[in-house]
Amino acid sequence: MSEVVAWVIATIVTIPLLGWYIIYIFSAKMSKNKSKSIQRASDWTTVLFMIAVNFIIVELWAKSFLWVILAVFFFVALIFTFIHWRLAGDIHVGKLFKGIWRFNFLLFFMTYLFLSGFGLLLRILS
């Protein structure tokens, strides 16, 4: 049984789109609200996309750039905090964190798609 659980977790981490879809389906069935389900799935799989981007980078270049991924995450947080402070004059932590988290989802989702395509093309041409 533990092997099955390990296989499911490994699959979801290495294929975060599958994890996103599973969370979306589960949330949509429970809440009956598709837009909230998309948001929940995106929020819950941000870390999966970050890990997947790291694994793809390791596979392509045989080096871990986890520190760069974390630096990008915190740089985005810094920029968002500064912009939020300049526009609102006051920092609303919940709203700020949600914006940071969702922007990072979009950033790492796009990076995941780009690196997946790049890796496929690289393997086809070599």
Side-chain angles (χ1 to χ4, degrees), residues 16 49-50 52-54 56-57 60-61 68-69 72 103-119:
F49 279 102
M50 292 171 72
V53 164
N54 184 51
I56 292 172
I57 290 171
L60 290 175
W61 292 291
V68 175
I69 291 170
V72 167
F103 182 81
N104 275 308
F105 169 79
L106 288 174
L107 179 67
F108 286 104
F109 174 72
M110 299 296 260
T111 306
Y112 172 79
L113 291 178
F114 173 76
L115 287 174
S116 294
F118 179 74

Side-chain angles (χ1 to χ4, degrees), residues 39 42-44 46-47 50 73-74 76-82 84-85 90-106:
Q39 290 174 356
S42 300
D43 288 344
W44 281 84
T46 301
V47 173
M50 292 171 72
F73 182 85
F74 289 117
V76 166
L78 181 73
I79 297 298
F80 260 71
T81 304
F82 180 75
H84 185 79
W85 170 70
D90 193 19
I91 295 177
H92 304 280
V93 176
K95 196 174 190 182
L96 176 65
F97 184 73
K98 192 182 295 186
I100 292 166
W101 196 252
R102 291 192 176 154
F103 182 81
N104 275 308
F105 169 79
L106 288 174

Side-chain angles (χ1 to χ4, degrees), residues 9 12-14 16 19-20 23 44-53:
I9 291 171
I12 289 173
V13 167
T14 55
W20 185 91
I23 294 170
W44 281 84
T45 56
T46 301
V47 173
L48 295 179
F49 279 102
M50 292 171 72
I51 293 168
V53 164

